Amino acid sequence: MRVQSTKSYLKIILILFLLIGIGCFLFLLKDKSYKEHQIDTKQALSSIHEGIDKTKVLEQNYRHHYTKTRHQHLRELPQDVKEKIIKGQTDGLKIVFLTFDDGPTEHTQEILDILEHYEVQATFFVNTYEDQEQTYREIARKGHLLANHTQSHNYKLYDDTDAFVADVHALDDYLSKTSRGRYRKGMFRFPGGSLNVNAPCRKAILDRGYNYVDWNVSSGDGFSDPVPVPQTIANVVNGVRQHNVSVVLCHGETKENTRKALPDILEILLKEGYSFYVMDSDLPYTRHI
Ligand SMILES: [Zn+2]
């Protein structure tokens, strides 16, 4: 009887050990898979972090590239040519700064298409036309320079220097906002040209760091009477041939004959070896006063 009960005890103890053993085994198994799961999660997290880091690097590179190239779409003058112009040593140069005033209008796109066809870049002295918001961006996007020609193009403002300056600044603000960072403040043209302006307004512009420019070649389209197309071509081509550095005045966005004359003008001048650039506010340009 005693031997029998000892055997039963042993059986129970054995079963207990077995159960504890199974329990430990299951626990370890669970722990292992939990740890494996933890490792997997860690790996997943670290690859996510790696991905984020890579994205950050790419983003930084893009930003750097973008900042670096944002203004490189402007066809800028080679450094040696810039130095020659600054020193007034322009012999042998065949440089043209084509300028369009008083836009943008619904006809600006036609001009942009012609310029694109001939791979020519120009400077657009614009005013504020809120219905043309997209066009300002398009001018800049196509590699041309947006430049200040006052917000309102109102000659009466010359009688009040403060109001005139406010009008100029209003266009700067508008262009900065509208062109999404592609507007470089600096180049300015007085409505009607500098001869149309009094000394205080000219001084105000220079004091505020603008470089103002008039023109030494005119298409002749600044008056109300339309200039025939052949005459417009002759005005520009003959005018450019007389200068090493030409600043050409056009109002092609409001004058149909100028738009019609533009392809021939570019065709002739490009064949004759002239190069077209956007203006650079660091350079001296032709001024009437
Ligand atoms: Zn004008």
Side-chain angles (χ1 to χ4, degrees), residues 101-102 149 153 191-192 251:
D101 284 19
D102 301 356
H149 194 43
H153 206 282
H251 295 80

Side-chain angles (χ1 to χ4, degrees), residues 240-254:
V240 166
R241 285 174 182 156
Q242 288 168 37
H243 300 280
N244 302 321
V245 179
S246 298
V247 179
V248 181
L249 175 71
C250 298
H251 295 80
E253 291 155 284
T254 53

